[in-house]
Amino acid sequence: ATTEIYTLSLHDALPILHNHHVGKVLPAVPDMDTQLALSAKMIDKRTSTPKGSHSYGAYFLEYSLMAEFQLLQQQRLPGIYCIPAYSSPLTWYGVLFIRQGPYQGGVFRFQVSLPENYPDGDCPSVVFDAPVFHPHVDPDTNQLNVKQGFHKWKRNVNHIWQLLLYTRRVFYKVEVTNPELAVNKEAARLWKEDGEKYQSLAKDCVKEWEEKI
């Protein structure tokens, strides 16, 4: 089978993101000399602890997010587009285009929320704008269970682009090891026991989203 590669452009994605306040463009990551010159300002020494861990100030947070956004741009992930919100760099708005599999033709909007102490802290959350029929998407909160892919968020190891890649992958390759641990147990059960019914409900989900776009 031939895998279709679909590269999402800004022109394609912005109309779908129109109802979100987006458009903040983070500046480029400083060169190495500038990074060294500014490094002393990245840690708020007033909140450092005896054990060596620190609470990072707003400046370091903004710098970290600059680097994350640049990494995301470099990856050029096909079929997915995500940008920081204008109101807060801790909120990113995204849109996902699915081109094959049970969710073929799906266009899903979502929001990524980062913890205030990023890049430390817990894994960022991914919440869809509307219900998505999927074993790993909570039917009540529309939140993706990212713990399936990131048991613990590791600073300097895990990045936002990897989280987005995982978000895309769960639609192309549905995996359920234990239906009882899935956040949508009914979807997990159907995926295990009645593939035809699952495929039908996945297509219905895609159609419902088409009406919302």
Side-chain angles (χ1 to χ4, degrees):
T2 301
T3 301
E4 179 182 359
I5 300 299
Y6 178 84
T7 302
L8 178 62
S9 68
L10 177 63
H11 180 268
D12 296 322
L14 283 183
I16 300 169
L17 290 167
H18 73 281
N19 62 340
H20 291 307
H21 297 289
V22 298
K24 180 174 183 179
V25 178
L26 296 176
V29 176
D31 58 31
M32 185 56 66
D33 290 337
T34 305
Q35 291 180 40
L36 292 174
L38 297 176
S39 60
K41 299 180 182 179
M42 293 181 184
I43 298 176
D44 185 350
K45 295 180 180 179
R46 293 172 299 176
T47 59
S48 59
T49 65
K51 294 183 179 180
S53 62
H54 302 277
S55 175
Y56 300 104
Y59 187 88
F60 180 67
L61 174 63
E62 187 80 4
Y63 169 80
S64 298
L65 294 176
M66 287 186 222
E68 287 288 352
F69 189 60
Q70 186 178 67
L71 280 173
L72 173 58
Q73 290 179 309
Q74 291 173 350
Q75 295 301 316
R76 303 178 67 87
L77 301 179
I80 195 165
Y81 185 77
C82 192
I83 54 178
Y86 183 81
S87 58
S88 171
L90 291 174
T91 300
W92 294 35
Y93 292 117
V95 59
L96 177 64
F97 289 72
I98 306 299
R99 296 300 169 187
Q100 60 184 11
Y103 298 90
Q104 183 174 1
V107 181
F108 304 109
R109 286 196 307 256
F110 61 90
Q111 176 178 315
V112 179
S113 298
L114 284 68
E116 293 184 357
N117 60 340
Y118 189 87
D120 297 310
D122 203 4
C123 180
S125 66
V126 176
V127 180
F128 293 94
D129 286 9
V132 176
F133 181 77
H134 193 286
H136 302 315
V137 178
D138 191 301
D140 298 318
T141 64
N142 305 330
Q143 183 169 339
L144 175 67
N145 180 16
V146 295
K147 294 297 185 180
Q148 288 286 117
F150 303 89
H151 300 294
K152 183 179 180 181
W153 190 261
K154 299 178 181 178
R155 181 183 176 213
N156 296 329
V157 174
N158 299 130
H159 299 282
I160 294 174
W161 73 265
Q162 295 169 324
L163 180 69
L164 298 176
L165 187 65
Y166 172 77
T167 301
R168 186 188 67 177
R169 187 172 69 86
V170 299
F171 286 92
Y172 283 96
K173 187 177 182 180
V174 181
E175 295 179 325
V176 179
T177 55
N178 186 346
E180 290 303 314
L181 298 179
V183 292
N184 188 331
K185 293 180 173 52
E186 177 62 13
R189 184 188 66 80
L190 288 175
W191 183 85
K192 282 279 192 180
E193 301 176 3
D194 192 342
E196 185 175 342
K197 179 65 173 177
Y198 182 89
Q199 295 265 356
S200 176
L201 291 175
K203 290 180 179 178
D204 289 344
C205 174
V206 169
K207 291 179 182 178
E208 290 173 4
W209 271 82
E210 287 178 355
E211 297 173 358
K212 300 177 189 297
I213 299 299

